[in-house]
Each structure stands twice: as structure tokens, then as C-alpha cells.
């Protein structure tokens, strides 16, 4: 079993839709949760990060963490064609003197006009 | 503000040839530096990390090596490339934080 599971998609939605992206994890040591957006042939860009269970909102994006269920989500409201990208969840825990990041495989999102 | 650079952006190399990829960070000091590889349709695999000059830790046995000759410079090398070394190589940094910040990446094709 992988430490972090993420549905690879692809997910195709119309412009204006609400998008829900999800990851599950098995390691209770994970303390910090992140979402990255990666456009084709580019490096990942940090979108949001959070530590505690609950919701964190930034503009059209909401990150949700449920530590009891080992489940995290990213919601995108009023999705735009410019949101078309691969979204990677990442989780961090202390390991060997640094904070190790474990990534999901990424979900490809396509928002069509 | 901090900026991370990688070069070259793309590289096509024959099997058995050497490799040198470079990463530099501007606008910070004493960063932690990381090399990742991303295969098509897969997540990021950590290859090496460094917490200081000359301090390199390897996560996965590879045909690759890393060096950190200066505080903000991280180099990924190979003496002889294999076909399986093809991929998208990403450098990242952080300093006192959980989140990491990535460079633009180098796309390597070994032929």
C-alpha cells in the first residue's frame, strides 16, 4: 500500500464548476499537508499548506484536512480554464534531521470553456 | 524574494555519457536543497537532499550522485547515463519550513 493515494484522473469539468480533489494517507506521522499545482512541463507551484484538521481558504481554493480519517481535499470554486493542470498532494513529517515530503501521484484536471 | 534556477531546461544525451545538472537558489542562505525525479504520470521521487555545504544524503540507490560545492548551489551528476535515467529532474529548497519550493525543472532524455 502506498503511503499517499491520489486518483490520477483525468478529471474533466466545465468552466465554473466546483472541483474536488482528494488524497488519502496511511502514515499517522504526517503533520503538514500541502497542495501543489503543476502545469505541463513546469515545476510544481505551492498552492496551499496547512497543519491542523479543518478548512483553510485562499480565494477560490479551500484545503480541507481530516486527520481522523486520514483524508485531505482541495476544492476549487468557479473553476477556470487556467486551472487546467496536475494537482499534487504532499505530506510532511520529520525524518533524519529534515522534514520529508511524500507526494501523491497527482490528479490531472481539465477545465473546458 | 527567493528564486530558484535550474539549467539546462532540456537535455538529450546518449547512453553512457556523463551528466551534470545545476541548481542555484537566490535570496536566502543556508537552505536545505533537494533533487527529485518525476517519471511520466508518477509522483515525485526524492533522490538526494542536503542540509549544508558538502552534506549529501541519498534516499534511493541510483546511477546518480549529488554535490553541494557552495551554500546555494546543488549539482546532480552521473558518470554514465542509463536509459532509465530519463525523466524530469526537479530541484527544491526550503529553510525552516515544511513546504518546499521547486525550480522549473530539467527534462532529460537518454537515447
Amino acid at each position: 500500500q502506498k503511503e499517499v493515494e491520489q486518483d490520477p484522473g483525468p478529471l474533466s469539468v466545465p468552466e465554473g464548476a466546483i472541483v474536488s480533489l482528494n488524497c488519502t494517507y496511511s502514515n499517522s506521522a504526517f503533520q503538514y499537508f500541502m497542495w501543489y499545482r503543476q502545469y505541463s512541463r513546469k515545476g510544481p507551484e505551492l498552492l496551499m499548506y496547512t497543519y491542523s484538521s479543518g478548512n483553510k481558504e485562499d480565494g477560490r481554493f479551500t484545503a480541507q484536512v481530516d486527520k481522523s480519517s486520514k483524508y485531505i481535499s482541495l476544492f476549487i470554486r468557479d473553476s477556470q480554464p487556467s486551472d487546467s493542470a496536475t494537482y499534487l498532494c504532499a505530506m510532511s513529517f520529520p525524518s533524519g534531521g529534515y522534514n520529508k515530503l511524500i507526494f501523491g501521484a497527482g490528479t490531472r484536471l481539465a477545465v473546458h470553456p | 524574494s527567493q528564486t530558484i534556477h535550474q539549467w539546462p531546461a532540456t537535455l538529450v544525451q546518449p547512453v553512457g555519457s556523463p551528466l551534470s545538472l545545476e541548481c542555484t537558489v537566490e535570496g536566502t542562505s543556508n537552505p536545505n536543497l533537494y533533487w527529485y525525479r518525476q517519471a511520466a504520470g508518477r509522483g515525485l521521487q526524492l533522490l538526494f537532499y542536503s542540509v549544508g555545504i558538502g552534506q549529501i544524503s541519498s534516499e534511493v540507490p541510483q546511477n546518480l550522485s549529488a554535490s553541494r560545492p557552495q551554500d546555494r548551489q546543488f549539482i546532480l551528476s552521473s558518470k554514465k547515463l542509463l536509459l532509465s535515467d530519463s525523466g524530469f529532474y526537479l530541484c527544491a529548497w526550503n529553510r525552516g519550513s515544511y513546504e518546499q519550493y521547486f525550480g522549473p525543472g530539467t527534462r532529460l532524455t537518454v537515447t
Side-chain angles (χ1 to χ4, degrees):
Chain A
Q1 181 188 9
K2 292 181 182 178
E3 284 190 280
V4 179
E5 298 276 1
Q6 183 176 11
D7 187 335
L11 185 61
S12 182
V13 301
E15 183 175 355
I18 297 175
V19 176
S20 173
L21 304 167
N22 310 295
C23 288
T24 59
Y25 63 96
S26 57
N27 190 343
S28 298
F30 289 138
Q31 298 180 357
Y32 216 69
F33 304 90
M34 283 146 275
W35 286 96
Y36 287 84
R37 177 175 62 195
Q38 186 175 23
Y39 291 114
S40 180
R41 308 181 81 84
K42 302 290 185 184
E45 167 195 3
L46 180 66
L47 268 181
M48 298 188 72
Y49 57 92
T50 184
Y51 176 77
S52 56
S53 283
N55 293 352
K56 181 178 181 180
E57 190 173 317
D58 184 1
R60 296 185 296 111
F61 299 90
T62 300
Q64 187 177 78
V65 173
D66 183 345
K67 288 187 176 181
S68 62
S69 301
K70 297 188 177 66
Y71 189 89
I72 70 170
S73 299
L74 178 70
F75 299 97
I76 307 175
R77 290 183 298 281
D78 188 24
S79 56
Q80 303 294 310
S82 59
D83 295 328
S84 299
T86 296
Y87 290 81
L88 300 160
C89 64
M91 307 182 187
S92 180
F93 67 101
S95 174
Y98 80 106
N99 296 317
K100 185 171 184 176
L101 274 190
I102 304 295
F103 286 85
T107 299
R108 267 199 312 157
L109 171 66
V111 181
H112 51 86
Chain B
S1 64
Q2 298 82 21
T3 310
I4 180 168
H5 303 279
Q6 286 186 247
W7 62 88
T10 60
L11 193 58
V12 180
Q13 293 282 93
V15 168
S17 64
L19 173 74
S20 181
L21 304 181
E22 189 166 341
C23 169
T24 59
V25 180
E26 295 178 354
T28 187
S29 59
N30 301 318
N32 292 339
L33 296 171
Y34 307 85
W35 278 112
Y36 289 87
R37 178 168 58 203
Q38 186 176 34
R42 300 179 65 179
L44 278 70
Q45 179 188 38
L46 180 64
L47 302 175
F48 300 95
Y49 70 92
S50 172
V51 298
I53 295 175
Q55 300 179 64
I56 309 294
S57 296
S58 173
E59 280 290 305
V60 181
Q62 300 282 340
N63 180 43
L64 302 167
S65 62
S67 62
R68 185 169 177 175
Q70 299 180 44
D71 181 44
R72 291 171 291 170
Q73 184 185 32
F74 206 19
I75 296 173
L76 184 69
S77 304
S78 174
K79 292 182 179 178
K80 289 186 178 182
L81 284 169
L82 306 172
L83 285 174
S84 58
D85 292 324
S86 292
F88 192 43
Y89 288 83
L90 290 155
C91 181
W93 76 275
N94 66 358
R95 185 170 184 266
S97 63
Y98 285 89
E99 64 275 16
Q100 295 176 15
Y101 300 91
F102 286 85
T106 294
R107 188 160 303 277
L108 172 65
T109 304
V110 183
T111 60

